[in-house]
Amino acid sequence: MIRKILVVFLIFNLISCAELQQVVSQLPQGGGGVLGNTEIASGLRQALDLGIDKQVTKLTQTDGFFKNELVKILLPEELQKVDKALRDIGLSNLADEGLKVLNRAAEDAVKESTPIFIDAVKGITFDDAKNILLGNNDAATQYLTSKTQEALYAKFNPVIKNSFSKVGADEIWSNLINKYNTIPFTNNVNPDLTDYVTGEALKGVYTMIAVEEKDIRTKVSSRTTDLLQKVFALQD
């Protein structure tokens, strides 16, 4: 449903009054009559707040990644053997701490994302909106991914690098890897954890936006204000 919301929102901002009236006249009316343009625009902004700000805010909180099984960042494949080997020799606490600091870095980075999403929504053209309307159920999320991924990576990467230093991740992982590398018959590892966590943080953001997109589209209970209920009734 959020994809259709984005379409109507952008119609109000990007096309002429004549075109606007033509499109609005084709929408089904529900929820007790025709809504005014101002009401519709306000309702759509509320929906965008739920679709982006609500879920992004969750991810920025302590354990926003670490205790969310949908987006929890696990070890890259080349370090899974490090984790197992450390646990096998009684260093489970150290391995757990190493995993936690990766997720803490992602939580720090996501705080940078909201302005980039807002800019992406403002930049949607009428053709973009039409494609979102006619696209798959996650078309809005896919659009945001295509328009924000590069910019978010550039924002996230230095934040994650700095976060590693702030929370001691660099020291923790240096200790972890050094201990692993001293285990007999193992091959030394030295992965680029900053790049890996950046990519996983991006996946987490888009995953949670897709969750909210689906909820708003399919569940009346997710329309948490009278205005949202009225506006979404136009799209049901």
Side-chain angles (χ1 to χ4, degrees), residues 111-122:
K111 296 172 184 177
E112 304 290 326
S113 63
T114 300
I116 293 174
F117 282 128
I118 291 172
D119 286 344
V121 171
K122 289 179 179 178

Side-chain angles (χ1 to χ4, degrees), residues 59-60 103-112 159 163 166-167:
L59 293 177
T60 66
N103 286 271
R104 289 288 182 268
E107 291 157 12
D108 279 348
V110 173
K111 296 172 184 177
E112 304 290 326
V159 174
S163 181
K166 182 179 71 175
V167 301

Side-chain angles (χ1 to χ4, degrees), residues 59 71 116-117 141-142 144-150 152-153 201-211 213:
L59 293 177
V71 298
I116 293 174
F117 282 128
T141 301
Q142 291 301 319
L144 288 176
T145 301
S146 68
K147 295 298 183 181
T148 64
Q149 193 164 30
E150 184 176 347
L152 285 180
Y153 185 96
L202 289 173
K203 290 179 186 177
V205 168
Y206 298 126
T207 293
M208 295 312 297
I209 290 175
V211 166
E213 178 182 351

